[in-house]
């Protein structure tokens, strides 16, 4: 079984997890898995490719160096795993969430309706969802890998009410999950034990680099790869 | 008695007063002297409202660097392409289109808490809308409380806007309106078209007359100047014809009546009040001298070319402020974006 994982910077965490599994010599022999990042997720909400029908020609310069097109031409039979649709951080870290809040949490702030929040999220993910549709159109197998929930040591938590960040993140994940289910695209979710009671990431999986309040550590990478293995074996 | 040509008032009229000089022998796009300003806008704080054509005026003023006010700006995380779906970036607050003089007056009264309409929500599909801006969001609010919460914030912003505005630009759009029989509340749209349910016993049609519109506008300006005594007003009449009439007349006939009344009111107020000016965007776009060239093929909506031409006439009188060249904005990458690059570099190196 040949698997290619691609997407945003959280693929780096998976790569670190892969190294850990290889060191432990517990890699499942039946799975041949390659991790090839597109790049920084900040470009995923821009038109980073041209839709060529059954493939996406990558046009974002910073991604082109790594991947020219998806699905990759030389990998016609691979199963693809994509880290990208759950990149909620782009939205919830905005300091405008100190002035605006989801309507259910509004005190004195400006209420953001559910309809508006939905459009904010869909607008943020429109190109990634289009990319997934290309895979479906091309009849290529694709599954989605959930990326970390917000870590509460992220500096956004100092300025924005934590319940606002967590509500936006939850709305984001719920909506994207619905979109993926509608497309019959499988999701490898973060296991429950990695998530704190309030919906944030458990601090056990904080990145080693002190300034990184966004990515999981290699242990989290290993856990997610084990989840991927379980999904692939079941599938 | 001498047959010599007498001196008469037309002798001293300028060239622009004569049809042959100004219109007949002039290429349509070269027709000049449409407008002469009554007061400057330059550094003044400007707010806009009105029928849909006012959106173009607001956008052009903002783009040309005027001190254009927006008291309900869109959040940065809302894609600009869908701002207007949520009533952002259209006017100086999220009131949507304000078509009639009565609607404008009541907007101010509602914002000041002087008028609380009995009917405060309309049912729409599975949710509720604000009857006074029923299309401000593409989907109805799920609860009445959300309508109220959104409206509270909006009306607070409207008061702040009037407190801060030096020049209020308003485009008069319609004379036809639907109102509540119970308390006279005027709706921007007929009940039943974008929420609510039409009921003859609850709502009635009114085609506002010249005296009614004049009275509304005077009342509005008096109240606005109580908040902000130095406020001045710039009126225009929308060149966009009625989409439909509720009168028994053919739509073009009804439109001509409606626009004629609005034009007459705007002219009358500008002629009689020192703090009111009138800009003839209506004449530039819709009269036969420009041969209908500024309309889109539907002969109703105004083309971008038309908007540009109108605003070019406006900016001849109101020169855009000299825009000081802003220093080139260096984008500081967000910390989370920086760590994304670091994560990739650490994991993949030069791969």
């Amino acid at each position: 079984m040949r698997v290619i994982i691609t997407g945003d910077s959280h693929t780096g965490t998976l790569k670190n997890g892969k190294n850990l599994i290889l060191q432990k010599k517990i890699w499942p022999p039946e799975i041949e898995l390659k991790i090839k990042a597109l790049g920084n997720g900040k470009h995923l909400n821009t038109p980073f490719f041209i839709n060529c029908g059954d493939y996406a020609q990558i046009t974002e310069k910073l991604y082109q160096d790594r991947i020219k097109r998806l699905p990759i031409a030389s990998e016609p039979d691979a199963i693809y795993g994509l880290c990208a649709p759950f990149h909620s951080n782009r939205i919830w870290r905005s300091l405008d969430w100190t002035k605006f809040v989801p309507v259910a949490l509004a005190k004195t702030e400006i209420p953001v309706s559910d309809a508006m929040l939905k459009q904010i999220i869909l607008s943020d993910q429109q190109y990634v969802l289009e990319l997934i549709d290309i895979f479906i159109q091309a009849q290529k197998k694709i599954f989605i890998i959930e990326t970390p929930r917000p870590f509460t040591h992220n500096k956004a938590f100092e300025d924005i009410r934590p319940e606002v960040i967590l509500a936006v993140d939850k709305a984001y994940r719920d909506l994207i999950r619905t979109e993926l289910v509608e497309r019959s695209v499988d999701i490898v979710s973060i296991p429950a034990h990695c998530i704190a009671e309030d919906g944030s990431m458990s601090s056990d999986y904080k990145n080693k680099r002190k300034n990184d309040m966004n990515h999981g550590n290699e242990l989290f990478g290993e856990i997610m790869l084990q989840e991927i293995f379980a999904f692939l074996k079941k599938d | 008695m001498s047959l010599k040509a007498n001196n008469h008032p037309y002798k001293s009229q300028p060239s622009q007063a004569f049809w042959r000089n100004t219109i007949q022998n002039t290429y349509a796009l070269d027709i000049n002297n449409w407008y002469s300003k009554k007061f400057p806008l330059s550094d003044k704080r400007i707010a806009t409202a009105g029928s849909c054509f006012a959106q173009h005026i607001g956008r052009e003023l903002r783009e040309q660097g005027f001190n254009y006010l927006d008291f309900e700006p869109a959040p940065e995380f809302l894609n600009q392409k869908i701002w207007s779906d949520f009533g952002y970036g259209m006017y100086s607050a999220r009131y949507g289109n304000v078509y009639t003089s009565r609607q404008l007056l009541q907007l101010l009264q509602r914002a000041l808490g002087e008028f609380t309409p009995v009917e405060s929500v309309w049912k729409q599909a599975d949710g509720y809308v604000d009857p006074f801006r029923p299309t401000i969001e593409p989907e109805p609010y799920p609860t009445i409380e959300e309508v109220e919460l959104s409206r509270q914030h909006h009306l607070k912003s409207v008061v702040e806007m009037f407190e801060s505005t030096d020049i209020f630009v308003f485009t008069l759009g319609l004379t036809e309106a639907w109102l509540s029989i119970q308390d006279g509340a005027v709706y921007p749209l007929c009940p039943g078209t974008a929420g609510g349910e039409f009921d003859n016993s609850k709502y009635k049609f009114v085609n506002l007359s010249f005296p009614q519109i004049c009275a509304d506008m005077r009342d509005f300006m008096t109240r606005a100047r109580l908040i902000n005594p130095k406020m001045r007003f710039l009126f225009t009449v929308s060149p966009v014809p009625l989409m439909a009439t509720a009168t028994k007349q053919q739509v073009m006939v009804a439109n001509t009546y409606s626009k004629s009344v609005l034009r007459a009111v705007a002219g009358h107020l500008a002629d009689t009040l020192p703090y009111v000016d009138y800009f003839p965007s209506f004449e530039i776009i819709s009269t036969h001298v420009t041969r209908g060239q500024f309309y889109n093929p539907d002969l109703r909506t105004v083309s971008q070319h038309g908007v540009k031409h109108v605003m070019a006439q406006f900016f001849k009188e109101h020169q855009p402020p000299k825009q000081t060249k802003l220093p080139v904005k260096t984008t500081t990458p967000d910390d989370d974006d920086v760590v994304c690059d670091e994560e990739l570099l650490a994991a993949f190196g030069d791969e």
Side-chain angles (χ1 to χ4, degrees):
Chain A
M1 185 186 307
R2 187 159 170 76
V3 181
I4 293 172
I5 289 175
T6 188
D8 57 29
S9 56
H10 294 284
T11 52
T13 309
L14 297 175
K15 181 77 188 297
N16 296 334
K18 180 180 177 182
N19 293 340
L20 200 60
I21 295 171
L22 289 173
Q23 276 170 27
K24 290 181 183 174
K25 300 187 174 165
I26 51 170
W27 190 273
E30 70 275 24
I31 296 174
E32 191 187 339
L33 185 143
K34 201 170 172 183
I35 303 175
K36 216 168 161 47
L38 266 171
N40 194 316
K42 70 179 175 187
H43 304 293
L44 289 171
N45 60 354
T46 65
F48 62 92
F49 62 87
I50 294 170
N51 187 336
C52 298
D54 55 357
Y55 70 93
Q57 185 73 46
I58 306 299
T59 50
E60 167 55 50
K61 281 195 169 53
L62 293 168
Y63 293 172
Q64 272 178 335
D65 290 344
R66 296 192 180 96
I67 294 178
K68 300 267 183 286
R69 53 170 274 184
L70 281 171
I72 297 167
S74 58
E75 299 281 1
D77 302 319
I79 299 169
Y80 285 82
L82 179 66
C83 279
F86 289 98
H87 202 116
S88 58
N89 167 295
R90 270 194 306 267
I91 298 298
W92 59 250
R93 73 187 183 202
S94 164
L95 285 179
D96 260 8
W97 288 112
T98 57
K99 293 180 277 182
F100 294 82
V101 298
V103 64
L105 298 173
K107 291 178 184 170
T108 54
E109 303 95 333
I110 305 164
V112 170
S113 67
D114 292 345
M116 193 188 299
L117 190 52
K118 181 179 165 186
Q119 288 309 316
I120 288 164
I121 296 163
L122 288 178
S123 178
D124 190 59
Q125 281 292 342
Q126 63 177 311
Y127 301 108
V128 171
L129 291 171
E130 187 182 344
L131 177 65
I132 293 168
D133 288 338
I134 291 172
F135 273 87
I136 295 168
Q137 170 81 18
Q139 298 184 320
K140 301 291 179 193
K141 276 196 168 179
I142 185 166
F143 64 93
I144 306 304
I145 304 151
E146 188 178 6
T147 42
R149 308 275 179 105
F151 283 101
T152 53
H153 69 298
N154 190 299
K155 66 180 175 47
F157 279 78
E158 292 169 16
D159 301 308
I160 304 166
R161 282 163 58 195
E163 62 269 37
V164 171
I165 293 178
L166 294 170
V168 173
D169 178 67
K170 183 176 184 312
Y172 197 108
R173 285 167 201 272
D174 288 350
L175 179 60
I176 294 304
R177 206 170 280 277
T178 305
E179 289 290 320
L180 295 172
V181 167
E182 277 176 13
R183 289 167 168 80
S184 302
V185 173
D186 290 313
I187 303 161
V188 175
S189 299
I190 299 171
H193 67 83
C194 297
I195 300 166
E197 214 169 288
D198 61 3
S200 66
M201 276 301 286
S202 162
S203 58
D204 293 346
Y205 306 105
K206 277 169 36 175
N207 196 288
K208 276 188 291 195
R209 285 192 307 276
K210 275 196 171 166
N211 67 331
D212 191 334
M213 302 159 191
N214 188 18
H215 302 93
N217 57 21
E218 57 188 359
L219 179 58
F220 179 68
E222 182 190 348
I223 290 170
M224 288 308 292
L225 274 176
Q226 295 292 2
E227 293 292 314
I228 291 167
F229 296 156
F231 162 76
L232 291 170
K233 285 173 187 167
K234 198 171 67 185
D235 200 45
Chain B
M1 209 172 161
S2 169
L3 289 176
K4 251 175 37 183
N6 282 329
N7 211 4
H8 54 72
Y10 292 97
K11 288 248 176 179
S12 57
Q13 279 292 79
S15 173
Q16 67 173 44
F18 295 91
W19 186 268
R20 186 180 297 167
N21 300 340
T22 307
I23 308 293
Q24 190 176 325
N25 295 330
T26 310
Y27 174 58
L29 295 181
D30 292 335
I31 296 171
N32 245 318
N33 299 315
W34 285 102
Y35 168 63
S36 180
K37 72 179 175 213
K38 195 186 256 186
F39 42 76
L41 299 186
S42 51
D43 56 343
K44 300 285 186 280
R45 294 166 301 176
I46 306 167
T48 61
S51 184
C52 49
F53 190 74
Q55 290 175 36
H56 299 305
I57 297 176
R59 191 181 56 239
E60 291 284 331
L61 288 172
R62 188 168 35 213
E63 283 176 5
Q64 292 297 325
F66 284 89
N67 190 358
Y68 181 79
L69 302 175
D70 187 352
F71 274 83
E72 289 187 271
E76 67 169 15
F77 40 75
L78 183 67
N79 190 328
Q80 192 169 356
K81 285 180 190 163
I82 53 173
W83 278 9
S84 61
D85 293 350
F86 292 89
Y88 285 113
M90 295 166 74
Y91 301 108
S92 297
R94 283 177 82 204
Y95 23 67
N97 291 338
V98 179
Y99 294 107
T100 61
S101 56
R102 189 70 51 85
Q103 195 191 338
L104 176 66
L105 172 62
Q106 290 183 358
L107 170 67
L108 180 56
Q109 290 176 306
R110 288 192 298 117
L112 293 172
E114 294 169 356
F115 176 47
T116 306
V118 176
E119 196 168 32
S120 60
V121 288
W122 277 348
K123 190 100 179 74
Q124 167 74 336
D126 293 333
Y128 302 89
V129 296
D130 183 343
F132 304 99
R133 44 180 199 149
T135 56
I136 204 68
E137 297 234 346
E139 291 177 32
Y141 294 93
T143 64
I144 293 173
E145 289 71 29
E146 284 193 29
V147 177
E148 296 291 353
L149 201 59
S150 178
R151 182 165 45 219
Q152 275 168 26
H153 173 76
H154 163 61
L155 292 178
K156 189 167 152 265
S157 304
V158 170
V159 173
E160 289 169 0
M161 180 193 79
F162 280 116
E163 286 169 347
S164 310
T165 299
D166 298 318
I167 309 279
F168 185 69
V169 180
F170 182 66
T171 299
L172 294 135
L174 299 176
T175 53
E176 297 190 15
W178 291 91
L179 52 82
S180 160
I181 292 172
Q182 194 175 3
D183 62 2
V186 164
Y187 308 107
L189 296 171
C190 176
T193 57
E197 197 175 320
F198 189 75
D199 181 343
N200 257 329
S201 67
K202 286 171 73 180
Y203 309 110
K204 73 172 181 185
F205 171 71
V206 62
N207 201 1
L208 294 166
S209 65
F210 178 94
Q212 286 173 313
I213 297 170
C214 255
D216 285 343
M217 294 306 290
R218 282 180 183 276
D219 194 357
F220 162 74
M221 287 188 285
T222 303
R223 288 167 193 271
R225 283 167 68 88
L226 281 174
I227 302 170
N228 185 349
K230 288 186 177 168
M231 196 186 302
R232 291 193 272 198
F233 305 87
L234 176 62
F235 295 144
T236 66
V237 171
S238 172
V240 180
L242 273 67
M243 187 176 273
T245 178
T247 66
K248 292 194 186 322
Q249 295 185 318
Q250 187 251 42
V251 66
M252 188 61 202
V253 179
N255 180 67
T256 304
Y257 171 80
S258 194
K259 300 297 181 185
S260 303
V261 169
L262 296 173
R263 173 63 187 88
V265 170
H268 175 68
L269 294 173
D271 285 348
T272 53
L273 298 169
Y275 50 83
V276 176
D277 196 4
Y278 170 73
F279 173 67
S281 52
F282 173 76
E283 286 85 335
I284 300 169
I285 297 288
S286 70
T287 54
H288 65 283
V289 301
T290 49
R291 286 120 172 119
Q293 65 179 296
F294 297 134
Y295 284 102
N296 288 318
D298 62 3
L299 296 178
R300 184 173 174 272
T301 52
V302 176
S303 68
Q304 199 51 37
H305 172 56
V307 172
K308 289 282 173 205
H309 185 73
V310 160
M311 294 312 291
Q313 309 312 308
F314 185 83
F315 293 134
K316 281 180 189 171
E317 280 293 296
H318 295 290
Q319 279 84 23
K322 283 200 178 100
Q323 293 185 35
T324 46
K325 207 171 182 183
L326 295 168
V328 178
K329 198 177 172 187
T330 50
T331 51
T332 311
D334 188 284
D335 290 351
D336 281 349
D337 286 337
V338 173
V339 298
C340 288
D341 286 330
E342 288 175 3
E343 178 77 356
L344 287 163
L345 195 63
F348 297 100
D350 292 335
E351 249 181 62

